[in-house]
Amino acid sequence: MDFGMIIAFIAASITSGTPILFGTLGEIVTEKVGHLNLGVEGMMAIGAFAGFMAGYTTDSFLIAILVAFAAGALAALIYGILTITFMANQNVTGLTLTIFGVGLANFCGHFARKTLEVESLKLPEKITDQMRAINIPGLSDIPVIGPLLFSYNPFVYLGIITAILLAFYFNRTKRGLNVRAIGENPAAADAAGIKVTKWKYINVCLGGGICGIGGAFTIMIINKGVWISDCVNGLGWISVALVIFASWNPKKAIFGSFIFGALRQLKYYVPSSIGIPGAIYDMLPYIITTIVLIMASVRNSKKNAQPASCGVNYFREER
């Protein structure tokens, strides 16, 4: 592999890992208030369809992103009502949301094709032009640095900025510290005057919205603006595992997502003469995901960065 191919591989890995980054950040935001939402795959699927149809009908990339965010947040709101207000089991509710979200997106995509009487749905060229890699005059042309830092589509920059802002929010702001307190001990936070239910809803919906943007990436960038059923294709599950890999740290999620992106791109850059079957490369991200989960379960006995109340519903006793 020559130097130019290495640069191309790194750039492709960053792009490929971006939807995983959005899914991971969304789940981190949710888990910070003590809610384990296994519906990342479903929220990404709903965001993918909503963002696609918004772009298809308006020719606006910005509107597509906003609608994808709103759709993911709405799906998360359903999860929030069930687990925060009605205190349903978080694991079961999240799994149900995944099944519901993927099924709904596939059904709506099929229905849209039938209604519009087309064989396939494809975004107009006007919006696909807005999603192409941004060329920054002077910077994008710098050897090595240009392709590595200044030649990506808007989603990549949005994902990195979101991760940095979330890290600042959780570690440097009063609201963020309150949110972390809710995740560690909601009863103590409640006693301190923090509005636990309010911030649980805000974070759950915010996390769902971020996942929705990740779903929009899959259909707009990975599938090149063509609607395909099951477009998220397991990235939501990788995102859930990556939360553990990143130790619930938004900054670490940036690097973790790019590592998983590299695993997804490996098959395109390893010489075919080596003779490794392509199916092995397809399995690799999920094999690593399994290893991460095993390592995390071992690490739990020593040190766990997961919020202490994660997965446990909070019931406020009235006195």
Side-chain angles (χ1 to χ4, degrees):
M1 185 182 295
D2 59 31
F3 186 71
M5 188 171 291
I6 292 174
I7 297 298
F9 172 66
I10 295 174
S13 300
I14 292 173
T15 301
S16 182
T18 298
I20 303 175
L21 175 60
F22 279 111
T24 303
L25 293 175
E27 182 64 10
I28 288 176
V29 171
T30 302
E31 292 192 20
K32 284 290 187 180
V33 286
H35 280 259
L36 176 64
N37 187 353
L38 298 178
V40 175
E41 184 94 358
M43 293 184 292
M44 290 179 72
I46 290 174
F49 178 77
F52 177 88
M53 289 308 299
Y56 186 84
T57 55
T58 66
D59 289 346
S60 171
F61 178 73
L62 178 60
I63 292 177
I65 293 298
L66 293 176
V67 170
F69 178 90
L74 181 60
L77 177 61
I78 298 173
Y79 167 88
I81 292 172
L82 292 173
T83 59
I84 299 172
T85 300
F86 295 106
M87 291 181 287
N89 183 281
Q90 294 180 20
N91 293 331
V92 174
T93 305
L95 292 172
T96 303
L97 179 57
T98 284
I99 297 170
F100 169 76
V102 173
L104 178 64
N106 290 345
F107 169 77
C108 289
H110 178 74
F111 181 78
R113 283 198 303 267
K114 291 293 184 182
T115 302
L116 297 172
E117 298 180 345
V118 294
E119 289 295 327
S120 65
L121 288 171
K122 189 179 188 307
L123 290 175
E125 188 173 341
K126 183 177 180 180
I127 190 172
T128 54
D129 288 341
Q130 300 174 49
M131 298 185 302
R132 291 198 175 100
I134 298 174
N135 186 2
I136 304 175
L139 296 178
S140 298
D141 298 327
I142 299 175
V144 182
I145 296 177
L148 285 179
L149 299 180
F150 306 111
S151 301
Y152 297 101
N153 64 74
F155 280 102
V156 175
Y157 300 108
L158 179 60
I160 295 173
I161 291 172
T162 300
I164 294 172
L165 290 177
L166 287 177
F168 180 82
Y169 168 64
F170 288 129
N171 297 309
R172 301 293 182 180
T173 68
K174 179 181 177 181
R175 296 301 184 192
L177 294 175
N178 287 346
V179 163
R180 291 174 60 185
I182 292 171
E184 293 298 332
N185 192 327
D190 199 357
I194 299 172
K195 296 181 179 179
V196 173
T197 300
K198 170 186 172 182
W199 287 103
K200 278 179 175 285
Y201 267 109
I202 289 175
N203 268 52
V204 165
C205 291
L206 176 61
I210 295 172
C211 290
I213 296 176
F217 179 99
T218 63
I219 202 68
M220 294 182 177
I221 304 298
I222 296 178
N223 294 335
K224 304 185 185 305
V226 178
W227 174 256
I228 299 175
S229 297
D230 298 318
C231 58
V232 180
N233 195 28
L235 296 181
W237 294 112
I238 294 178
S239 298
V240 173
L242 187 56
V243 172
I244 302 171
F245 182 84
S247 300
W248 290 264
N249 185 324
K251 288 183 180 179
K252 291 182 180 179
I254 296 175
F255 301 102
S257 65
F258 295 159
I259 290 173
F260 276 83
L263 294 174
R264 298 182 66 227
Q265 290 295 312
L266 200 58
K267 64 181 178 181
Y268 301 114
Y269 291 88
V270 174
S272 57
S273 58
I274 294 179
I276 300 177
I280 298 296
Y281 296 110
D282 293 333
M283 292 168 52
L284 197 55
Y286 301 98
I287 293 174
I288 299 301
T289 298
T290 304
I291 294 173
V292 167
L293 293 175
I294 294 173
M295 292 174 61
S297 66
V298 173
R299 187 179 62 181
N300 281 349
S301 60
K302 301 178 181 179
K303 181 180 179 181
N304 190 3
Q306 183 182 33
S309 72
C310 192
V312 180
N313 293 329
Y314 171 61
F315 175 72
R316 182 180 187 183
E317 295 184 8
E318 300 292 343
R319 291 182 173 83

